[in-house]
PDB file of all heavy atoms in Angstrom:
ATOM      1  N   HIS A   1       0.852  -1.176   0.000  1.00 51.00           N
ATOM      2  CA  HIS A   1       0.000   0.000   0.000  1.00 51.00           C
ATOM      3  C   HIS A   1       0.892   1.231   0.000  1.00 51.00           C
ATOM      4  O   HIS A   1       1.882   1.287   0.718  1.00 51.00           O
ATOM      5  CB  HIS A   1      -0.893  -0.010   1.241  1.00 51.00           C
ATOM      6  CG  HIS A   1      -1.738   1.197   1.391  1.00 51.00           C
ATOM      7  ND1 HIS A   1      -2.846   1.415   0.611  1.00 51.00           N
ATOM      8  CD2 HIS A   1      -1.639   2.262   2.214  1.00 51.00           C
ATOM      9  CE1 HIS A   1      -3.403   2.565   0.962  1.00 51.00           C
ATOM     10  NE2 HIS A   1      -2.686   3.095   1.933  1.00 51.00           N
ATOM     11  N   VAL A   2       0.568   2.237  -0.816  1.00 54.00           N
ATOM     12  CA  VAL A   2       1.370   3.453  -0.906  1.00 54.00           C
ATOM     13  C   VAL A   2       0.511   4.649  -0.545  1.00 54.00           C
ATOM     14  O   VAL A   2      -0.603   4.806  -1.048  1.00 54.00           O
ATOM     15  CB  VAL A   2       1.942   3.633  -2.337  1.00 54.00           C
ATOM     16  CG1 VAL A   2       2.734   4.916  -2.444  1.00 54.00           C
ATOM     17  CG2 VAL A   2       2.786   2.452  -2.739  1.00 54.00           C
ATOM     18  N   GLU A   3       1.034   5.484   0.355  1.00 59.00           N
ATOM     19  CA  GLU A   3       0.407   6.760   0.707  1.00 59.00           C
ATOM     20  C   GLU A   3       1.469   7.836   0.578  1.00 59.00           C
ATOM     21  O   GLU A   3       2.363   7.930   1.423  1.00 59.00           O
ATOM     22  CB  GLU A   3      -0.130   6.730   2.143  1.00 59.00           C
ATOM     23  CG  GLU A   3      -1.386   5.932   2.315  1.00 59.00           C
ATOM     24  CD  GLU A   3      -1.914   5.999   3.744  1.00 59.00           C
ATOM     25  OE1 GLU A   3      -1.543   6.943   4.487  1.00 59.00           O
ATOM     26  OE2 GLU A   3      -2.688   5.117   4.099  1.00 59.00           O
ATOM     27  N   GLY A   4       1.399   8.644  -0.475  1.00 65.00           N
ATOM     28  CA  GLY A   4       2.418   9.659  -0.702  1.00 65.00           C
ATOM     29  C   GLY A   4       3.758   8.996  -0.959  1.00 65.00           C
ATOM     30  O   GLY A   4       3.895   8.162  -1.841  1.00 65.00           O
ATOM     31  N   ASP A   5       4.770   9.369  -0.151  1.00 63.00           N
ATOM     32  CA  ASP A   5       6.102   8.794  -0.277  1.00 63.00           C
ATOM     33  C   ASP A   5       6.286   7.559   0.594  1.00 63.00           C
ATOM     34  O   ASP A   5       7.361   6.973   0.631  1.00 63.00           O
ATOM     35  CB  ASP A   5       7.159   9.828   0.116  1.00 63.00           C
ATOM     36  CG  ASP A   5       7.244  10.962  -0.886  1.00 63.00           C
ATOM     37  OD1 ASP A   5       6.827  10.757  -2.037  1.00 63.00           O
ATOM     38  OD2 ASP A   5       7.735  12.044  -0.512  1.00 63.00           O
ATOM     39  N   THR A   6       5.250   7.145   1.326  1.00 58.00           N
ATOM     40  CA  THR A   6       5.351   6.026   2.252  1.00 58.00           C
ATOM     41  C   THR A   6       4.792   4.760   1.626  1.00 58.00           C
ATOM     42  O   THR A   6       3.675   4.759   1.122  1.00 58.00           O
ATOM     43  CB  THR A   6       4.586   6.328   3.561  1.00 58.00           C
ATOM     44  OG1 THR A   6       5.099   7.541   4.116  1.00 58.00           O
ATOM     45  CG2 THR A   6       4.748   5.208   4.557  1.00 58.00           C
ATOM     46  N   ARG A   7       5.593   3.705   1.667  1.00 56.00           N
ATOM     47  CA  ARG A   7       5.150   2.395   1.184  1.00 56.00           C
ATOM     48  C   ARG A   7       4.944   1.491   2.389  1.00 56.00           C
ATOM     49  O   ARG A   7       5.851   1.297   3.185  1.00 56.00           O
ATOM     50  CB  ARG A   7       6.186   1.766   0.266  1.00 56.00           C
ATOM     51  CG  ARG A   7       6.325   2.507  -1.017  1.00 56.00           C
ATOM     52  CD  ARG A   7       7.307   1.832  -1.910  1.00 56.00           C
ATOM     53  NE  ARG A   7       7.401   2.606  -3.137  1.00 56.00           N
ATOM     54  CZ  ARG A   7       8.247   2.368  -4.087  1.00 56.00           C
ATOM     55  NH1 ARG A   7       9.081   1.377  -3.975  1.00 56.00           N
ATOM     56  NH2 ARG A   7       8.272   3.115  -5.148  1.00 56.00           N
ATOM     57  N   TRP A   8       3.761   0.948   2.499  1.00 52.00           N
ATOM     58  CA  TRP A   8       3.426   0.053   3.597  1.00 52.00           C
ATOM     59  C   TRP A   8       3.721  -1.369   3.156  1.00 52.00           C
ATOM     60  O   TRP A   8       3.067  -1.904   2.268  1.00 52.00           O
ATOM     61  CB  TRP A   8       1.953   0.201   3.966  1.00 52.00           C
ATOM     62  CG  TRP A   8       1.617   1.557   4.491  1.00 52.00           C
ATOM     63  CD1 TRP A   8       1.695   2.745   3.823  1.00 52.00           C
ATOM     64  CD2 TRP A   8       1.184   1.883   5.801  1.00 52.00           C
ATOM     65  NE1 TRP A   8       1.319   3.776   4.635  1.00 52.00           N
ATOM     66  CE2 TRP A   8       0.993   3.270   5.855  1.00 52.00           C
ATOM     67  CE3 TRP A   8       0.915   1.121   6.938  1.00 52.00           C
ATOM     68  CZ2 TRP A   8       0.564   3.917   7.003  1.00 52.00           C
ATOM     69  CZ3 TRP A   8       0.483   1.775   8.077  1.00 52.00           C
ATOM     70  CH2 TRP A   8       0.319   3.157   8.103  1.00 52.00           C
ATOM     71  N   ILE A   9       4.706  -1.994   3.779  1.00 57.00           N
ATOM     72  CA  ILE A   9       5.119  -3.326   3.370  1.00 57.00           C
ATOM     73  C   ILE A   9       4.627  -4.406   4.322  1.00 57.00           C
ATOM     74  O   ILE A   9       4.963  -5.571   4.163  1.00 57.00           O
ATOM     75  CB  ILE A   9       6.645  -3.407   3.227  1.00 57.00           C
ATOM     76  CG1 ILE A   9       7.324  -3.117   4.559  1.00 57.00           C
ATOM     77  CG2 ILE A   9       7.132  -2.455   2.156  1.00 57.00           C
ATOM     78  CD1 ILE A   9       8.792  -3.434   4.557  1.00 57.00           C
ATOM     79  N   TYR A  10       3.849  -4.014   5.304  1.00 53.00           N
ATOM     80  CA  TYR A  10       3.395  -4.959   6.316  1.00 53.00           C
ATOM     81  C   TYR A  10       2.757  -6.186   5.679  1.00 53.00           C
ATOM     82  O   TYR A  10       3.066  -7.312   6.045  1.00 53.00           O
ATOM     83  CB  TYR A  10       2.412  -4.275   7.266  1.00 53.00           C
ATOM     84  CG  TYR A  10       2.272  -4.975   8.583  1.00 53.00           C
ATOM     85  CD1 TYR A  10       3.078  -4.634   9.650  1.00 53.00           C
ATOM     86  CD2 TYR A  10       1.344  -5.986   8.764  1.00 53.00           C
ATOM     87  CE1 TYR A  10       2.964  -5.277  10.867  1.00 53.00           C
ATOM     88  CE2 TYR A  10       1.220  -6.635   9.969  1.00 53.00           C
ATOM     89  CZ  TYR A  10       2.033  -6.275  11.021  1.00 53.00           C
ATOM     90  OH  TYR A  10       1.913  -6.925  12.215  1.00 53.00           O
ATOM     91  N   SER A  11       1.894  -5.971   4.709  1.00 67.00           N
ATOM     92  CA  SER A  11       1.190  -7.101   4.089  1.00 67.00           C
ATOM     93  C   SER A  11       2.135  -8.019   3.315  1.00 67.00           C
ATOM     94  O   SER A  11       1.860  -9.205   3.154  1.00 67.00           O
ATOM     95  CB  SER A  11       0.085  -6.595   3.165  1.00 67.00           C
ATOM     96  OG  SER A  11       0.645  -5.777   2.149  1.00 67.00           O
ATOM     97  N   ILE A  12       3.257  -7.503   2.854  1.00 79.00           N
ATOM     98  CA  ILE A  12       4.232  -8.314   2.144  1.00 79.00           C
ATOM     99  C   ILE A  12       5.091  -9.107   3.123  1.00 79.00           C
ATOM    100  O   ILE A  12       5.426 -10.269   2.878  1.00 79.00           O
ATOM    101  CB  ILE A  12       5.138  -7.429   1.262  1.00 79.00           C
ATOM    102  CG1 ILE A  12       4.309  -6.791   0.154  1.00 79.00           C
ATOM    103  CG2 ILE A  12       6.303  -8.223   0.693  1.00 79.00           C
ATOM    104  CD1 ILE A  12       5.048  -5.757  -0.639  1.00 79.00           C
ATOM    105  N   MET A  13       5.436  -8.498   4.243  1.00 85.00           N
ATOM    106  CA  MET A  13       6.361  -9.142   5.170  1.00 85.00           C
ATOM    107  C   MET A  13       5.723 -10.271   5.966  1.00 85.00           C
ATOM    108  O   MET A  13       6.423 -11.188   6.389  1.00 85.00           O
ATOM    109  CB  MET A  13       6.976  -8.106   6.121  1.00 85.00           C
ATOM    110  CG  MET A  13       7.964  -7.169   5.445  1.00 85.00           C
ATOM    111  SD  MET A  13       9.266  -8.004   4.490  1.00 85.00           S
ATOM    112  CE  MET A  13      10.139  -8.873   5.779  1.00 85.00           C
ATOM    113  N   GLU A  14       4.424 -10.237   6.154  1.00 89.00           N
ATOM    114  CA  GLU A  14       3.765 -11.329   6.895  1.00 89.00           C
ATOM    115  C   GLU A  14       4.025 -12.692   6.247  1.00 89.00           C
ATOM    116  O   GLU A  14       4.455 -13.617   6.936  1.00 89.00           O
ATOM    117  CB  GLU A  14       2.266 -11.063   7.023  1.00 89.00           C
ATOM    118  CG  GLU A  14       1.919 -10.009   8.049  1.00 89.00           C
ATOM    119  CD  GLU A  14       2.387 -10.359   9.446  1.00 89.00           C
ATOM    120  OE1 GLU A  14       2.235 -11.516   9.879  1.00 89.00           O
ATOM    121  OE2 GLU A  14       2.925  -9.459  10.112  1.00 89.00           O
ATOM    122  N   PRO A  15       3.792 -12.854   4.937  1.00 92.00           N
ATOM    123  CA  PRO A  15       4.099 -14.150   4.314  1.00 92.00           C
ATOM    124  C   PRO A  15       5.592 -14.475   4.327  1.00 92.00           C
ATOM    125  O   PRO A  15       5.971 -15.647   4.398  1.00 92.00           O
ATOM    126  CB  PRO A  15       3.592 -14.005   2.881  1.00 92.00           C
ATOM    127  CG  PRO A  15       2.706 -12.826   2.862  1.00 92.00           C
ATOM    128  CD  PRO A  15       3.101 -11.961   4.009  1.00 92.00           C
ATOM    129  N   VAL A  16       6.445 -13.457   4.272  1.00 94.00           N
ATOM    130  CA  VAL A  16       7.890 -13.694   4.334  1.00 94.00           C
ATOM    131  C   VAL A  16       8.256 -14.270   5.698  1.00 94.00           C
ATOM    132  O   VAL A  16       9.019 -15.241   5.797  1.00 94.00           O
ATOM    133  CB  VAL A  16       8.682 -12.398   4.036  1.00 94.00           C
ATOM    134  CG1 VAL A  16      10.169 -12.581   4.335  1.00 94.00           C
ATOM    135  CG2 VAL A  16       8.476 -11.965   2.597  1.00 94.00           C
ATOM    136  N   ILE A  17       7.705 -13.703   6.762  1.00 95.00           N
ATOM    137  CA  ILE A  17       7.972 -14.201   8.116  1.00 95.00           C
ATOM    138  C   ILE A  17       7.495 -15.641   8.244  1.00 95.00           C
ATOM    139  O   ILE A  17       8.201 -16.500   8.794  1.00 95.00           O
ATOM    140  CB  ILE A  17       7.330 -13.281   9.165  1.00 95.00           C
ATOM    141  CG1 ILE A  17       8.040 -11.915   9.172  1.00 95.00           C
ATOM    142  CG2 ILE A  17       7.362 -13.914  10.552  1.00 95.00           C
ATOM    143  CD1 ILE A  17       7.304 -10.828   9.943  1.00 95.00           C
ATOM    144  N   GLU A  18       6.310 -15.930   7.724  1.00 96.00           N
ATOM    145  CA  GLU A  18       5.806 -17.312   7.743  1.00 96.00           C
ATOM    146  C   GLU A  18       6.715 -18.233   6.940  1.00 96.00           C
ATOM    147  O   GLU A  18       6.987 -19.358   7.345  1.00 96.00           O
ATOM    148  CB  GLU A  18       4.376 -17.372   7.203  1.00 96.00           C
ATOM    149  CG  GLU A  18       3.348 -16.791   8.140  1.00 96.00           C
ATOM    150  CD  GLU A  18       3.315 -17.498   9.485  1.00 96.00           C
ATOM    151  OE1 GLU A  18       3.365 -18.749   9.519  1.00 96.00           O
ATOM    152  OE2 GLU A  18       3.248 -16.800  10.507  1.00 96.00           O
ATOM    153  N   GLY A  19       7.200 -17.749   5.798  1.00 96.00           N
ATOM    154  CA  GLY A  19       8.108 -18.539   4.972  1.00 96.00           C
ATOM    155  C   GLY A  19       9.422 -18.830   5.679  1.00 96.00           C
ATOM    156  O   GLY A  19       9.977 -19.922   5.559  1.00 96.00           O
ATOM    157  N   ILE A  20       9.930 -17.855   6.427  1.00 97.00           N
ATOM    158  CA  ILE A  20      11.147 -18.079   7.217  1.00 97.00           C
ATOM    159  C   ILE A  20      10.889 -19.191   8.220  1.00 97.00           C
ATOM    160  O   ILE A  20      11.690 -20.117   8.366  1.00 97.00           O
ATOM    161  CB  ILE A  20      11.595 -16.789   7.931  1.00 97.00           C
ATOM    162  CG1 ILE A  20      12.051 -15.730   6.925  1.00 97.00           C
ATOM    163  CG2 ILE A  20      12.715 -17.092   8.941  1.00 97.00           C
ATOM    164  CD1 ILE A  20      12.257 -14.353   7.518  1.00 97.00           C
ATOM    165  N   ARG A  21       9.756 -19.113   8.898  1.00 96.00           N
ATOM    166  CA  ARG A  21       9.406 -20.145   9.887  1.00 96.00           C
ATOM    167  C   ARG A  21       9.265 -21.528   9.249  1.00 96.00           C
ATOM    168  O   ARG A  21       9.560 -22.536   9.876  1.00 96.00           O
ATOM    169  CB  ARG A  21       8.110 -19.768  10.595  1.00 96.00           C
ATOM    170  CG  ARG A  21       8.270 -18.599  11.533  1.00 96.00           C
ATOM    171  CD  ARG A  21       6.979 -18.325  12.274  1.00 96.00           C
ATOM    172  NE  ARG A  21       7.110 -17.129  13.065  1.00 96.00           N
ATOM    173  CZ  ARG A  21       6.195 -16.189  13.159  1.00 96.00           C
ATOM    174  NH1 ARG A  21       5.037 -16.314  12.519  1.00 96.00           N
ATOM    175  NH2 ARG A  21       6.392 -15.116  13.902  1.00 96.00           N
ATOM    176  N   ASP A  22       8.813 -21.537   7.994  1.00 96.00           N
ATOM    177  CA  ASP A  22       8.635 -22.807   7.278  1.00 96.00           C
ATOM    178  C   ASP A  22       9.922 -23.295   6.613  1.00 96.00           C
ATOM    179  O   ASP A  22       9.926 -24.357   5.988  1.00 96.00           O
ATOM    180  CB  ASP A  22       7.539 -22.670   6.213  1.00 96.00           C
ATOM    181  CG  ASP A  22       6.159 -22.477   6.822  1.00 96.00           C
ATOM    182  OD1 ASP A  22       5.971 -22.796   8.018  1.00 96.00           O
ATOM    183  OD2 ASP A  22       5.261 -21.991   6.101  1.00 96.00           O
ATOM    184  N   GLY A  23      10.981 -22.506   6.701  1.00 95.00           N
ATOM    185  CA  GLY A  23      12.266 -22.917   6.141  1.00 95.00           C
ATOM    186  C   GLY A  23      12.466 -22.601   4.678  1.00 95.00           C
ATOM    187  O   GLY A  23      13.362 -23.167   4.046  1.00 95.00           O
ATOM    188  N   ASP A  24      11.685 -21.711   4.114  1.00 97.00           N
ATOM    189  CA  ASP A  24      11.821 -21.339   2.707  1.00 97.00           C
ATOM    190  C   ASP A  24      13.106 -20.519   2.512  1.00 97.00           C
ATOM    191  O   ASP A  24      13.244 -19.440   3.099  1.00 97.00           O
ATOM    192  CB  ASP A  24      10.603 -20.523   2.272  1.00 97.00           C
ATOM    193  CG  ASP A  24      10.636 -20.152   0.806  1.00 97.00           C
ATOM    194  OD1 ASP A  24      11.684 -19.667   0.323  1.00 97.00           O
ATOM    195  OD2 ASP A  24       9.604 -20.326   0.140  1.00 97.00           O
ATOM    196  N   PRO A  25      14.072 -21.017   1.712  1.00 97.00           N
ATOM    197  CA  PRO A  25      15.345 -20.298   1.539  1.00 97.00           C
ATOM    198  C   PRO A  25      15.186 -18.889   0.968  1.00 97.00           C
ATOM    199  O   PRO A  25      15.939 -17.986   1.342  1.00 97.00           O
ATOM    200  CB  PRO A  25      16.135 -21.182   0.570  1.00 97.00           C
ATOM    201  CG  PRO A  25      15.461 -22.505   0.586  1.00 97.00           C
ATOM    202  CD  PRO A  25      14.035 -22.274   0.983  1.00 97.00           C
ATOM    203  N   ALA A  26      14.235 -18.699   0.058  1.00 96.00           N
ATOM    204  CA  ALA A  26      14.031 -17.366  -0.510  1.00 96.00           C
ATOM    205  C   ALA A  26      13.539 -16.395   0.560  1.00 96.00           C
ATOM    206  O   ALA A  26      13.951 -15.231   0.604  1.00 96.00           O
ATOM    207  CB  ALA A  26      13.034 -17.427  -1.668  1.00 96.00           C
ATOM    208  N   CYS A  27      12.673 -16.861   1.436  1.00 97.00           N
ATOM    209  CA  CYS A  27      12.165 -16.011   2.516  1.00 97.00           C
ATOM    210  C   CYS A  27      13.264 -15.705   3.528  1.00 97.00           C
ATOM    211  O   CYS A  27      13.333 -14.592   4.054  1.00 97.00           O
ATOM    212  CB  CYS A  27      10.968 -16.667   3.199  1.00 97.00           C
ATOM    213  SG  CYS A  27       9.499 -16.689   2.151  1.00 97.00           S
ATOM    214  N   VAL A  28      14.139 -16.673   3.787  1.00 97.00           N
ATOM    215  CA  VAL A  28      15.269 -16.428   4.682  1.00 97.00           C
ATOM    216  C   VAL A  28      16.144 -15.330   4.085  1.00 97.00           C
ATOM    217  O   VAL A  28      16.549 -14.396   4.794  1.00 97.00           O
ATOM    218  CB  VAL A  28      16.076 -17.721   4.934  1.00 97.00           C
ATOM    219  CG1 VAL A  28      17.380 -17.421   5.667  1.00 97.00           C
ATOM    220  CG2 VAL A  28      15.241 -18.721   5.727  1.00 97.00           C
ATOM    221  N   GLU A  29      16.415 -15.414   2.788  1.00 97.00           N
ATOM    222  CA  GLU A  29      17.216 -14.379   2.122  1.00 97.00           C
ATOM    223  C   GLU A  29      16.545 -13.013   2.240  1.00 97.00           C
ATOM    224  O   GLU A  29      17.199 -12.014   2.546  1.00 97.00           O
ATOM    225  CB  GLU A  29      17.447 -14.739   0.652  1.00 97.00           C
ATOM    226  CG  GLU A  29      18.163 -13.674  -0.153  1.00 97.00           C
ATOM    227  CD  GLU A  29      19.593 -13.384   0.305  1.00 97.00           C
ATOM    228  OE1 GLU A  29      20.232 -14.266   0.899  1.00 97.00           O
ATOM    229  OE2 GLU A  29      20.064 -12.253   0.063  1.00 97.00           O
ATOM    230  N   LEU A  30      15.240 -12.955   1.987  1.00 95.00           N
ATOM    231  CA  LEU A  30      14.516 -11.685   2.123  1.00 95.00           C
ATOM    232  C   LEU A  30      14.571 -11.169   3.554  1.00 95.00           C
ATOM    233  O   LEU A  30      14.704  -9.960   3.791  1.00 95.00           O
ATOM    234  CB  LEU A  30      13.061 -11.847   1.685  1.00 95.00           C
ATOM    235  CG  LEU A  30      12.829 -11.996   0.186  1.00 95.00           C
ATOM    236  CD1 LEU A  30      11.375 -12.359  -0.095  1.00 95.00           C
ATOM    237  CD2 LEU A  30      13.219 -10.723  -0.545  1.00 95.00           C
ATOM    238  N   GLY A  31      14.491 -12.066   4.527  1.00 96.00           N
ATOM    239  CA  GLY A  31      14.574 -11.667   5.926  1.00 96.00           C
ATOM    240  C   GLY A  31      15.926 -11.066   6.270  1.00 96.00           C
ATOM    241  O   GLY A  31      16.013 -10.043   6.951  1.00 96.00           O
ATOM    242  N   VAL A  32      16.987 -11.693   5.782  1.00 97.00           N
ATOM    243  CA  VAL A  32      18.331 -11.160   6.020  1.00 97.00           C
ATOM    244  C   VAL A  32      18.466  -9.787   5.364  1.00 97.00           C
ATOM    245  O   VAL A  32      18.972  -8.841   5.981  1.00 97.00           O
ATOM    246  CB  VAL A  32      19.414 -12.141   5.510  1.00 97.00           C
ATOM    247  CG1 VAL A  32      20.801 -11.510   5.566  1.00 97.00           C
ATOM    248  CG2 VAL A  32      19.378 -13.429   6.329  1.00 97.00           C
ATOM    249  N   GLU A  33      17.983  -9.644   4.143  1.00 95.00           N
ATOM    250  CA  GLU A  33      18.027  -8.350   3.454  1.00 95.00           C
ATOM    251  C   GLU A  33      17.224  -7.299   4.219  1.00 95.00           C
ATOM    252  O   GLU A  33      17.616  -6.134   4.287  1.00 95.00           O
ATOM    253  CB  GLU A  33      17.502  -8.484   2.031  1.00 95.00           C
ATOM    254  CG  GLU A  33      18.451  -9.203   1.107  1.00 95.00           C
ATOM    255  CD  GLU A  33      17.913  -9.348  -0.304  1.00 95.00           C
ATOM    256  OE1 GLU A  33      16.875  -8.716  -0.643  1.00 95.00           O
ATOM    257  OE2 GLU A  33      18.526 -10.093  -1.092  1.00 95.00           O
ATOM    258  N   PHE A  34      16.114  -7.708   4.792  1.00 93.00           N
ATOM    259  CA  PHE A  34      15.282  -6.776   5.548  1.00 93.00           C
ATOM    260  C   PHE A  34      16.023  -6.296   6.800  1.00 93.00           C
ATOM    261  O   PHE A  34      15.978  -5.112   7.132  1.00 93.00           O
ATOM    262  CB  PHE A  34      13.957  -7.442   5.913  1.00 93.00           C
ATOM    263  CG  PHE A  34      12.936  -6.503   6.486  1.00 93.00           C
ATOM    264  CD1 PHE A  34      12.400  -5.489   5.708  1.00 93.00           C
ATOM    265  CD2 PHE A  34      12.511  -6.636   7.785  1.00 93.00           C
ATOM    266  CE1 PHE A  34      11.449  -4.621   6.230  1.00 93.00           C
ATOM    267  CE2 PHE A  34      11.557  -5.778   8.316  1.00 93.00           C
ATOM    268  CZ  PHE A  34      11.032  -4.769   7.535  1.00 93.00           C
ATOM    269  N   ILE A  35      16.715  -7.192   7.478  1.00 95.00           N
ATOM    270  CA  ILE A  35      17.506  -6.797   8.647  1.00 95.00           C
ATOM    271  C   ILE A  35      18.628  -5.849   8.216  1.00 95.00           C
ATOM    272  O   ILE A  35      18.946  -4.889   8.919  1.00 95.00           O
ATOM    273  CB  ILE A  35      18.092  -8.034   9.374  1.00 95.00           C
ATOM    274  CG1 ILE A  35      16.987  -8.923   9.930  1.00 95.00           C
ATOM    275  CG2 ILE A  35      19.077  -7.616  10.475  1.00 95.00           C
ATOM    276  CD1 ILE A  35      16.145  -8.337  11.026  1.00 95.00           C
ATOM    277  N   GLU A  36      19.202  -6.097   7.063  1.00 95.00           N
ATOM    278  CA  GLU A  36      20.280  -5.242   6.557  1.00 95.00           C
ATOM    279  C   GLU A  36      19.780  -3.871   6.111  1.00 95.00           C
ATOM    280  O   GLU A  36      20.564  -2.923   6.056  1.00 95.00           O
ATOM    281  CB  GLU A  36      20.974  -5.910   5.374  1.00 95.00           C
ATOM    282  CG  GLU A  36      21.795  -7.122   5.733  1.00 95.00           C
ATOM    283  CD  GLU A  36      22.373  -7.812   4.520  1.00 95.00           C
ATOM    284  OE1 GLU A  36      21.689  -7.914   3.479  1.00 95.00           O
ATOM    285  OE2 GLU A  36      23.524  -8.271   4.626  1.00 95.00           O
ATOM    286  N   SER A  37      18.511  -3.760   5.808  1.00 88.00           N
ATOM    287  CA  SER A  37      17.985  -2.497   5.273  1.00 88.00           C
ATOM    288  C   SER A  37      18.028  -1.410   6.340  1.00 88.00           C
ATOM    289  O   SER A  37      17.874  -1.665   7.527  1.00 88.00           O
ATOM    290  CB  SER A  37      16.557  -2.676   4.769  1.00 88.00           C
ATOM    291  OG  SER A  37      15.666  -2.874   5.847  1.00 88.00           O
TER     292      SER A  37
END
């Protein structure tokens, strides 16, 4: 969701967090990138 210059990523990160818990390597990579951001 975008409001002005703000992008709301909450809805995207929920499935990524679940994917990390499920052991999905792509989600783990996204999680590491998110921590690095």
Side-chain angles (χ1 to χ4, degrees):
H1 176 74
V2 178
E3 285 183 20
D5 291 338
T6 304
R7 292 182 180 174
W8 296 64
I9 61 169
Y10 201 91
S11 59
I12 294 172
M13 289 308 296
E14 284 300 317
V16 170
I17 292 167
E18 288 301 316
I20 293 169
R21 289 184 186 137
D22 292 341
D24 183 312
C27 290
V28 170
E29 175 64 26
L30 288 171
V32 172
E33 287 179 11
F34 190 66
I35 297 294
E36 290 176 321
S37 70

